[in-house]
Amino acid sequence: MLANMPRRRGALIVFEGVDRSGKSTQTALLTQNLSSHQIPSILRRFPDRTSTTGALISSYLSSTSEPELSDEAIHLLFSANRWEAVKELEDALLNGTTVIVDRYAYSGVAYTAAKGLDLNWCKGPDKGLLTPDLVIYMEIPIEVAATRGGFGGERYEKIEFQEKVRGCFKQLKEQDPTWRVIDADRPVEEIQKDIVGTVLEVIERVKEMPIGHDLWSK
Ligand code: Z5A
Ligand code: MG
């Protein structure tokens, strides 16, 4: 009887890492691989440049924003861009769909804290967001990432700044047991194999657990 069947939810899987660490490549492959395992999933990315806040963010990142937004204002816009998506993500999880997210609040904190703002202040606006079941951190030396296609095109894509971002990610990782570090300086398929194994385990483990709404609130 359907009514008596336990309700199964999807898992919230977040990918983080410095620029060109391979997040978009791996999230796209993961969606295909989950589909071949008959596991329903959707892929979302932040910033979502299609919304109103996303258009402002996109303009800021390509340095055409006039007048210049303050570091605090752009930080809050990135956070608002995530809050706009909460209902859609939560509905998908409740329907049993796994949600794969390419960058999340950790990027929000790491990129703003790398500018010199207080890390705890940076966490504030994202407190209470949906809590990821797994954060996959794509670990790569900045010099290697900088040799990859497209590095250098936007505001933050400078080696010295990316080193600071990497240091901020390291602090966040130390405070969070849901992080899994993946060596991202390997062939694409080899990385994907590790990711699929870890993600399948997490989907199975959390399917009957409640969804968390308490990122950084405990
Ligand atoms: N930002 C922020 O400040 N605050 C926030 O709250 C959020 C973001 C959410 C735009 O993000 C900027 O917004 C970003 C952080 C800031 N800062 N910058 N600059 P974005 O996600 O839109 O950035 P992007 O343009 O998609 O780049 P990316 O995410 O940094 O790249 P990636 O997704 O990690 O890498 P990729 O696109 O998969 O791969 C890059 C290239 O490497 C490509 O040519 C691949 O074919 C190649 N590649 C991938 N994997 C490999 C392997 N394993 N070996 C060799 N080559 C590879
Ligand atoms: Mg990307």
Side-chain angles (χ1 to χ4, degrees):
M1 291 229 304
L2 273 177
N4 292 334
M5 278 176 69
R7 196 179 172 121
R8 297 188 168 192
R9 70 159 172 102
L12 179 58
I13 312 287
V14 166
F15 280 70
E16 288 286 7
V18 296
D19 284 42
R20 303 302 183 260
S21 52
K23 300 175 296 298
S24 298
T25 302
Q26 294 297 333
T27 50
L29 278 175
L30 178 60
T31 317
Q32 290 168 21
N33 279 320
L34 290 182
S35 165
S36 67
H37 282 85
Q38 276 78 50
I39 295 176
S41 71
I42 56 168
L43 171 57
R44 294 291 178 269
R45 64 182 301 179
F46 295 110
D48 169 6
R49 300 188 193 218
T50 64
S51 73
T52 312
T53 57
L56 286 167
I57 291 168
S58 191
S59 152
Y60 171 86
L61 287 171
S62 55
S63 305
T64 57
S65 165
E66 292 289 345
E68 179 84 348
L69 288 165
S70 71
D71 294 340
E72 291 83 357
I74 187 67
H75 183 76
L76 295 174
L77 274 180
F78 271 112
S79 176
N81 188 250
R82 284 182 282 279
W83 280 105
E84 284 171 343
V86 170
K87 186 165 185 322
E88 187 209 353
L89 303 192
E90 185 174 19
D91 286 351
L93 292 171
L94 287 170
N95 283 334
T97 301
T98 284
V99 177
I100 302 161
V101 180
D102 183 351
R103 291 195 190 274
Y104 198 52
Y106 309 93
S107 280
V109 170
Y111 282 76
T112 305
K115 296 173 178 171
L117 278 76
D118 177 70
L119 191 105
N120 281 324
W121 181 87
C122 294
K123 284 178 164 180
D126 286 298
K127 277 187 184 172
L129 269 187
L130 296 175
T131 320
D133 298 300
L134 172 69
V135 179
I136 293 180
Y137 181 71
M138 304 284 287
E139 173 73 25
I140 194 167
I142 303 296
E143 318 82 74
V144 176
T147 63
R148 292 185 174 173
F151 190 93
E154 282 195 329
R155 179 185 286 261
Y156 297 144
E157 295 172 359
K158 313 276 179 295
I159 288 186
E160 199 185 323
F161 186 73
Q162 292 292 322
E163 287 289 3
K164 288 185 185 160
V165 171
R166 193 161 178 256
C168 295
F169 273 131
K170 190 161 175 277
Q171 286 183 59
L172 292 171
K173 177 177 71 190
E174 280 157 10
Q175 300 164 6
D176 194 329
T178 58
W179 283 49
R180 192 72 61 92
V181 178
I182 295 275
D183 175 2
D185 185 13
R186 290 182 294 157
V188 169
E189 292 301 337
E190 204 181 298
I191 300 169
Q192 180 65 197
K193 198 167 161 230
D194 287 358
I195 289 173
V196 171
T198 304
V199 168
L200 290 176
E201 264 173 48
V202 171
I203 291 173
E204 190 55 28
R205 180 168 54 75
V206 305
K207 66 187 181 195
E208 280 158 25
M209 287 166 59
I211 295 170
H213 296 82
D214 53 1
L215 181 69
W216 295 325
S217 324
K218 285 181 183 161

